[in-house]
């Protein structure tokens, strides 16, 4: 009997040892600069934690939608990964924090000495009821137009468009020259939704846009109509096969010299670099007209699920992500900027340096479609409304659908 008990104890110790030696990281980073950046993080983490076996539980497809569905199933089923990628804002708080699935990290931020290393506004977005719930690892900008510099020069453009009239003029010149004026890949609905949310910032203004999603101002004004009408107008300049393409396919059209412009988050910058283009030489960038003073924020973060199987290793991972070294390894590859305010700017290319400078000086507007500004149900309804608008051109019906979605989400409509 004693031998049996001893054997059971030894097996228990072995199991604990094996569990302590693993770390499952869940994300949707499976291609281009994002996968390269993640693997670079793994390599550095392993250098300092050689006995930890990293399980890369990345799920491809749908620009994260597939991964989010798998993750939600696992979390609800009591089978969480040790840490997972989640967008700052309501995607984090509504989906996982409020349902009591996450551990707060505030005391660890204090222990790690990083409370003052992130912008307070960003910490607010990853907090709920005064507690921090995830580590921001990067910041992306959503209101950016990337363009092919060779085509730009060929069709006689000499300065980047600052106004809508200048932008539309450039689109017409590209179309007349036989190029795709504005590449779009909305096989996954969010890409069209992202164009629309940036148009909303342009039309409503950054402060009103923010107040709408703070439930302080009404969305139900003529600015909603003009935003929808402008969205319809832009669809006259996109590639005909847009519904069959992903965002990477649309960005690739710029790389291949088939399209002049592409509106995309700056993960596209990382992708263009992996294709061999040099920022500032082969492609340029500018903020969408009338959003030059705005920075549409998307931030990838990692949190600590309750009942993490390898909690101590998860905490080591999260502490690592807060460091300057980790952020400066990951972001130059990913095509994003560091969430920390004291990162080494010399490590960043001309585009990312421009973005770092704007992040510190422009009005932050959280993205709707990437889960920062609005709850998941509203995001789904907005994406559906915009994709139907693209197919039908019916502004009246799109407006009605958006107002209904706002009423369901508690966004002011009167």
């Amino acid at each position: 009997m004693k031998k049996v008990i001893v054997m059971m104890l030894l097996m228990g110790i072995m199991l604990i040892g094996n569990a302590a030696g693993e770390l499952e990281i869940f994300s949707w980073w499976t291609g281009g600069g994002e996968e390269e950046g993640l693997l670079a993080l793994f390599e550095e983490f392993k250098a300092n934690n050689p006995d930890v076996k990293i399980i890369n539980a990345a799920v491809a497809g749908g620009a994260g939608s597939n991964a989010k569905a798998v993750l939600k199933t696992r979390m609800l089923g009591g089978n969480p990964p040790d840490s997972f990628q989640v967008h700052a804002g309501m995607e984090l708080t509504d989906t996982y924090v409020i349902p009591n699935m996450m551990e707060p990290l505030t005391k660890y931020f204090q222990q790690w000495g990083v409370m003052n290393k992130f912008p307070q506004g960003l910490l607010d977005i990853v907090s709920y009821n005064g507690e921090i719930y995830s580590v921001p690892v990067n910041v992306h900008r959503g209101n950016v137009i990337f363009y092919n510099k060779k085509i730009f020069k060929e069709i006689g453009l000499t300065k980047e468009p600052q106004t809508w009239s200048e932008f539309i003029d450039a689109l017409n010149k590209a179309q007349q020259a036989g190029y795709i004026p504005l590449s779009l890949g909305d096989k996954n609905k969010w890409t069209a939704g992202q164009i629309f949310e940036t148009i909303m910032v342009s039309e409503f203004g950054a402060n009103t846009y923010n107040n709408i999603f703070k439930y302080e101002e009404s969305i139900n004004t003529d600015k909603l109509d003009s935003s929808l009408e402008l969205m319809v107008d832009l669809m006259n300049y996109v590639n005909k096969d847009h519904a069959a393409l992903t965002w990477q396919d649309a960005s690739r059209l710029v790389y291949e010299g088939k399209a002049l412009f592409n509106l995309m988050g700056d993960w596209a910058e990382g992708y263009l670099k992996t294709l061999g283009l040099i920022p500032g030489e082969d492609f340029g960038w500018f903020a969408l007209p009338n959003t030059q003073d705005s920075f549409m924020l998307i931030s990838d973060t990692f949190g600590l699920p309750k009942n993490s199987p390898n909690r101590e290793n998860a905490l080591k991972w999260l502490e690592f992500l807060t460091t300057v070294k980790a952020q400066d390894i990951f972001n130059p590859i990913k095509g994003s900027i560091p969430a920390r305010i004291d990162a080494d700017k010399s490590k960043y290319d001309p585009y990312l340096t421009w973005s770092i400078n704007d992040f510190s000086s422009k009005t932050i507007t959280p993205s709707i479609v990437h889960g920062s500004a609005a709850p998941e149900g509203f995001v789904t309804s907005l994406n559906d409304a915009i994709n139907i608008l693209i197919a039908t051109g019916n502004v009246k019906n799109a407006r009605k659908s958006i107002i209904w979605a706002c009423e369901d989400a508690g966004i002011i409509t009167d």
Side-chain angles (χ1 to χ4, degrees), residues 142-145 161 163-172 174-175 179-186 191-203 225-240 242 261-264 286-291 386 389-391 393 395:
N143 57 316
V144 187
I145 303 282
T163 65
W164 277 109
S165 61
E166 291 174 351
F167 187 61
I168 297 297
D169 180 63
L171 293 174
N172 282 318
Q175 196 167 62
Y179 294 106
I180 297 165
L182 180 66
S183 63
L184 172 64
D186 60 342
T191 54
Q194 184 171 318
I195 293 176
F196 181 70
E197 69 181 0
T198 60
I199 292 174
M200 281 186 64
V201 175
S202 172
E203 291 296 289
D225 297 286
S226 61
S227 297
L228 291 165
E229 289 162 1
L230 191 48
M231 183 72 187
V232 172
D233 290 343
L234 287 185
M235 291 305 103
N236 294 318
Y237 298 100
V238 303
N239 42 299
K240 293 181 179 179
H242 60 89
F261 294 136
N262 176 229
L263 190 156
M264 185 45 57
F286 56 93
L288 185 78
N290 292 350
T291 70
I386 296 306
L389 174 68
I390 290 172
V395 169

Side-chain angles (χ1 to χ4, degrees), residues 32-87:
E34 57 191 24
E35 182 182 28
E36 289 182 31
L38 180 63
L39 295 178
L41 283 178
F42 288 165
E43 184 178 350
E44 180 64 23
F45 182 83
K46 283 284 289 179
N48 297 302
N49 301 274
D51 295 331
V52 176
K53 178 184 177 183
I54 295 176
I55 301 169
N56 183 3
V59 175
S65 59
N66 292 350
K68 291 171 190 177
V70 172
L71 177 63
K72 189 177 291 187
T73 299
R74 288 188 57 175
M75 294 290 283
L76 290 172
N79 179 32
D82 293 309
S83 186
F84 61 86
Q85 176 190 3
V86 60
H87 285 136

Side-chain angles (χ1 to χ4, degrees), residues 134-274:
S134 65
V135 175
V137 71
N138 69 354
V139 169
H140 277 296
R141 188 175 191 176
N143 57 316
V144 187
I145 303 282
F146 294 99
Y147 67 93
N148 183 298
K149 295 200 79 167
K150 183 179 178 181
I151 298 174
F152 193 86
K153 183 178 179 180
E154 179 187 321
I155 64 176
L157 297 175
T158 58
K159 67 172 186 174
E160 293 160 353
Q162 300 295 303
T163 65
W164 277 109
S165 61
E166 291 174 351
F167 187 61
I168 297 297
D169 180 63
L171 293 174
N172 282 318
K173 286 182 177 179
Q175 196 167 62
Q176 291 163 8
Y179 294 106
I180 297 165
L182 180 66
S183 63
L184 172 64
D186 60 342
K187 181 178 181 179
N188 305 117
K189 295 179 179 180
W190 65 267
T191 54
Q194 184 171 318
I195 293 176
F196 181 70
E197 69 181 0
T198 60
I199 292 174
M200 281 186 64
V201 175
S202 172
E203 291 296 289
F204 281 92
N207 291 331
T208 298
Y209 172 93
N210 285 343
N211 287 339
I212 288 169
F213 295 101
K214 290 177 183 176
Y215 308 95
E216 294 175 356
E217 286 193 49
S218 175
I219 194 174
N220 193 3
T221 72
D222 58 357
K223 298 298 184 183
L224 179 57
D225 297 286
S226 61
S227 297
L228 291 165
E229 289 162 1
L230 191 48
M231 183 72 187
V232 172
D233 290 343
L234 287 185
M235 291 305 103
N236 294 318
Y237 298 100
V238 303
N239 42 299
K240 293 181 179 179
D241 60 349
H242 60 89
L245 305 184
T246 64
W247 74 262
Q248 292 99 326
D249 297 327
S251 295
R252 193 176 182 92
L253 291 172
V254 173
Y255 161 73
E256 292 174 345
K258 296 177 181 177
L260 173 60
F261 294 136
N262 176 229
L263 190 156
M264 185 45 57
D266 48 20
W267 45 89
E269 199 254 356
Y271 179 62
L272 291 173
K273 287 190 295 187
T274 65

